[in-house]
Amino acid sequence: MNAIKTQNDHSDEAKKTIAIIQTTRIGDLLQTTHAIRLMKENHPEFRVILIARKKFSEPIKFILNKYFDKIIQIDHKSAMVGADSTKDALSNLKKQMAEINDERIDVSINLAFSKSSTYLHTLIKSENKVGPYFNLMHERVLQDKWSQYLYSTVMRGDLNPFNLVDLFANIIGVNKKMTHLSNKEYSNEEKSHVLIHPFTSQESKQWTSNRWVEVIYQTLKRNKDTKVIICGSSLDKTKTEEIVNSELLSSFKDRIDQWLGLELQELYEKVDQNYLFVGHDSMIGNLLSYKNVKSLTISLGPVRPHETTPYALDNYNLAPRQKSDELPYNVTYQCIEQLLKKNLINIEELHNSCSTLSINKLNLYKTDMLANGDVTINELLHKEQNAKEIMRNFYHIAWSSIITEANISMDIPVINSEAKAQLMSHTKGIEALFELSEFGKKYSRYIIEEISKNTPSLEEIKKFSAKLDEVDTLSDMILSSYPLLAPVVDYAKVAKNNLQGHNLVKLSESAFFTYNEVSLLCSVLYEFFEKCSLIKKQPEAARDNV
């Protein structure tokens, strides 16, 4: 279902109320709020309330208050601390739930996808629910297609091409005809300050202090009028001192400052047009995207640039080309220098100033907007794409078309020999998955036809159901040999576990439509492979079998 439906009456009395549940961390809250910005641009007729944990929502309330009509903060800690018994703690939690359920909520939307948020969503009294909740059998329910997609693809692998903001907007049902994004630069063309956030929640996502020392040293050496500010929490003091007190930076101490433990609102207000932000995948980059501050994100380890790059246009993201590659820090300070002086990165200059060995170890992405309003990231350094990049681009087109009926186009990619071999090896998998989906459609239809008879045969229905079980088992087996098809197989599995209907006919119809979606996706994928010359184009009569 779509949460958004057209309304003509914009009066306060007529406004429908949508409750957004986002109980995860500050970065997720900021991405959720970008989705609400899109919603407000395109659907001002709705009243939107936010349900979030106090510890994460309070620091960015100055942002949240701009876009939500009301914020309800859940504070599990206050409910538990000071309670004399379990009964008292439950009583405190019930009071928090009462505040939520005092609202007349037309649609509640769970964007957190955690187990605790799913329980919370279950307890909220709303006329319609979007996103995960538990039914009376304690089964997780995911009825809308975009939530099924997010749960099956984002939560399980790295082939998702969508920024999380756009996924959240799709789940909400936003029609992105209008957008708050702009190519108008907030940052000056020439900037004098670099705000660096070299910390993350996981060691695997960040450089060592020595790496940052080298980047800062080269930045200050090559840009005489530039100052560097290191920002972080008060807990980052030790690591900050490791960087600042390095012997290599001893002659630049008067040009290095520290912003540790600042309130986020204070940091946000300090940053002006003279700043460039550089840092690992972090909440700070997402926060400053609300000002359209130019940013260069350093994505390491398990970070997925497609999902988490700050939601603004013309921002950059550096990431290793292969997981085993180390990101060359020399390319980083070259990018910083260009952004400080020109507000953009000239790729030809980067090739001339960096070695081919360094360039070949990384991807440099730049954010852009597609025709349907989605933000995407384009790789700038390499004409040839690897197999995963090609499949991500295809999946962006295919899922947008099949679920939302959005039309997106892309150029035929330049494919190197390694990627070509990897993709061609998946041809048999596409054919097998298509054939299995067609069998699924057939046996679903047989069940519907059998039930519609005056005297339906239970044995026949059981036989067809067993065939469907075989189809599903064989579909799951495709994953081991054809991992690039994981998004299709996983989506089908989640969708089939959440079939809609209260009787066998409705459930069978729902199964038929799910198999049809997979079949259609395989057909489109097969045609895409043909256009990329990965499959020898067959005569129309021969293609009818695929």
Side-chain angles (χ1 to χ4, degrees):
M1 68 172 286
N2 269 350
I4 301 297
K5 292 184 180 178
T6 302
Q7 286 181 212
N8 295 321
D9 189 346
H10 291 191
S11 66
D12 289 340
E13 293 79 6
K15 281 187 175 182
K16 299 286 188 181
T17 296
I18 296 175
I20 302 294
I21 304 164
Q22 182 52 275
T23 55
T24 47
R25 302 177 73 85
I26 295 176
D28 299 295
L29 262 176
L30 289 166
Q31 290 179 300
T32 298
T33 307
H34 265 304
I36 298 305
R37 288 182 78 180
L38 287 170
M39 177 186 165
K40 291 284 188 176
E41 287 276 347
N42 293 276
H43 311 279
E45 67 271 22
F46 291 94
R47 176 175 177 263
V48 187
I49 65 175
L50 171 67
I51 301 168
R53 292 176 68 184
K54 185 174 182 178
K55 66 181 291 188
F56 298 135
S57 59
E58 191 64 30
I60 56 168
K61 212 169 180 182
F62 69 101
I63 293 284
L64 303 178
N65 281 332
K66 295 178 182 179
Y67 307 105
F68 290 95
D69 297 285
K70 183 177 180 179
I71 300 169
I72 298 177
Q73 295 178 319
I74 298 171
D75 191 359
H76 293 158
K77 186 177 180 180
S78 67
M80 303 300 178
V81 175
D84 295 327
S85 64
T86 304
K87 185 177 179 180
D88 287 345
L90 286 172
S91 176
N92 292 338
L93 289 171
K94 285 179 180 178
K95 288 177 183 176
Q96 295 185 15
M97 285 305 306
E99 183 183 1
I100 298 172
N101 287 326
D102 280 345
E103 295 283 339
R104 186 186 181 281
I105 299 172
D106 296 281
V107 184
S108 54
I109 305 176
N110 182 8
L111 298 178
F113 284 77
S114 65
K115 193 171 185 179
S116 60
S117 72
T118 305
Y119 278 117
L120 175 64
H121 195 197
T122 306
L123 296 172
I124 291 174
K125 296 175 183 177
S126 55
E127 292 185 21
N128 301 283
K129 293 184 186 294
V130 176
Y133 65 93
F134 289 113
N135 62 17
L136 294 175
M137 302 296 292
H138 200 260
E139 299 166 325
R140 190 190 300 266
V141 178
L142 280 166
Q143 292 184 326
D144 63 291
K145 294 186 181 301
W146 279 114
S147 289
Q148 291 173 355
Y149 169 84
L150 191 153
Y151 187 76
S152 62
T153 304
V154 177
M155 310 289 277
R156 303 190 189 200
D158 62 352
L159 285 169
N160 168 50
F162 295 92
N163 190 292
L164 288 180
V165 173
D166 289 317
L167 275 183
F168 291 157
N170 288 340
I171 291 170
I172 294 168
V174 177
N175 182 355
K176 297 192 283 282
K177 288 184 178 178
M178 302 285 290
T179 180
H180 61 276
L181 299 178
S182 171
N183 287 107
K184 183 179 179 181
E185 296 291 357
Y186 176 80
S187 300
N188 292 333
E189 184 172 353
E190 288 192 49
K191 290 170 284 297
S192 56
H193 292 72
V194 182
L195 179 65
I196 293 180
H197 186 252
F199 314 112
T200 64
S201 56
Q202 298 176 29
E203 291 289 335
S204 60
K205 292 182 178 181
Q206 66 186 42
W207 269 336
T208 61
S209 298
N210 290 338
R211 290 279 183 178
W212 279 109
V213 166
E214 184 64 34
V215 169
I216 294 170
Y217 171 76
Q218 292 291 346
T219 297
L220 294 174
K221 179 183 175 183
R222 298 159 71 94
N223 303 276
K224 306 297 184 183
D225 298 322
T226 297
K227 291 185 177 181
V228 166
I229 297 97
I230 299 174
C231 67
S233 73
S234 55
L235 298 176
D236 298 318
K237 185 174 182 180
T238 301
K239 290 185 178 178
T240 303
E241 288 178 348
E242 283 181 18
I243 296 172
V244 174
N245 294 328
S246 167
E247 183 65 29
L248 195 61
L249 297 178
S250 59
S251 59
F252 297 110
K253 284 195 174 183
D254 59 328
R255 293 166 60 195
I256 302 174
D257 201 356
Q258 301 176 37
W259 291 355
L260 300 181
L262 291 185
E263 295 290 336
L264 290 179
Q265 183 170 359
E266 184 182 356
L267 183 146
Y268 185 82
E269 291 171 352
K270 275 176 170 281
V271 175
D272 60 23
Q273 293 94 331
N274 295 308
Y275 281 75
L276 166 69
F277 174 74
V278 180
H280 292 305
D281 177 65
S282 70
M283 169 268 297
I284 301 296
N286 285 305
L287 175 66
L288 295 178
S289 68
Y290 281 80
K291 267 189 173 178
N292 207 21
V293 171
K294 183 68 69 177
S295 69
L296 173 65
T297 304
I298 314 297
S299 296
L300 303 178
V303 174
R304 302 173 186 175
H306 293 78
E307 296 176 10
T308 58
T309 296
Y311 200 74
L313 299 182
D314 300 328
N315 277 338
Y316 294 88
N317 195 313
L318 277 170
R321 202 166 189 202
Q322 304 289 338
K323 283 187 176 180
S324 57
D325 288 340
E326 283 196 11
L327 193 63
Y329 61 86
N330 62 314
V331 181
T332 306
Y333 62 73
Q334 297 278 358
C335 290
I336 291 173
E337 183 175 16
Q338 288 199 39
L339 288 170
L340 283 171
K341 293 178 178 179
K342 305 175 185 176
N343 219 24
L344 56 81
I345 297 175
N346 183 294
I347 301 305
E348 185 178 351
E349 285 185 24
L350 201 62
H351 275 285
N352 291 336
S353 58
C354 300
S355 69
T356 303
L357 183 62
S358 294
I359 293 291
N360 286 339
K361 285 187 175 182
L362 57 86
N363 286 327
L364 175 61
Y365 299 102
K366 184 180 181 182
T367 56
D368 196 4
M369 189 189 299
L370 297 174
N372 70 334
D374 284 358
V375 167
T376 187
I377 55 174
N378 298 320
E379 209 288 314
L380 305 178
L381 293 176
H382 311 285
K383 292 181 179 179
E384 297 178 341
Q385 299 177 10
N386 63 33
K388 281 191 174 182
E389 288 286 343
I390 291 167
M391 291 300 288
R392 281 194 199 99
N393 289 336
F394 165 75
Y395 282 133
H396 201 144
I397 295 171
W399 290 118
S400 298
S401 174
I402 290 171
I403 299 179
T404 316
E405 297 183 1
N407 292 320
I408 304 174
S409 61
M410 64 176 281
D411 295 330
I412 298 297
V414 178
I415 307 174
N416 62 32
S417 56
E418 182 182 350
K420 186 173 184 179
Q422 193 174 355
L423 292 170
M424 289 177 70
S425 70
H426 279 64
T427 304
K428 294 293 183 184
I430 298 170
E431 294 171 351
L433 193 55
F434 174 86
E435 190 171 332
L436 287 169
S437 300
E438 289 296 301
F439 276 122
K441 287 166 60 178
K442 180 172 74 173
Y443 291 118
S444 298
R445 189 174 68 249
Y446 284 171
I447 292 174
I448 296 169
E449 291 171 353
E450 187 63 36
I451 294 171
S452 65
K453 293 178 180 178
N454 291 330
T455 55
S457 167
L458 184 59
E459 289 301 316
E460 285 295 296
I461 293 173
K462 286 182 177 179
K463 182 178 74 175
F464 298 144
S465 296
K467 290 291 186 183
L468 288 178
D469 289 339
E470 287 181 33
V471 167
D472 294 343
T473 301
L474 291 170
S475 296
D476 290 342
M477 292 172 63
I478 286 176
L479 274 182
S480 58
S481 299
Y482 307 103
L484 295 179
L485 300 180
V488 187
V489 176
D490 287 340
Y491 171 80
K493 191 171 184 177
V494 171
K496 282 179 277 189
N497 286 336
N498 289 274
L499 297 177
Q500 299 184 41
H502 300 290
N503 57 54
L504 191 55
V505 173
K506 293 295 183 184
L507 289 170
S508 298
E509 287 176 350
S510 184
F512 177 89
F513 289 127
T514 297
Y515 287 119
N516 189 61
E517 282 180 335
V518 176
S519 176
L520 178 60
L521 195 60
C522 290
S523 297
V524 176
L525 182 53
Y526 195 88
E527 185 175 344
F528 173 76
F529 271 43
E530 281 188 338
K531 288 184 176 180
C532 293
S533 302
L534 299 170
I535 300 173
K536 186 176 180 181
K537 195 163 185 177
Q538 302 175 12
E540 287 297 320
R543 290 183 71 241
D544 287 343
N545 294 322
V546 179

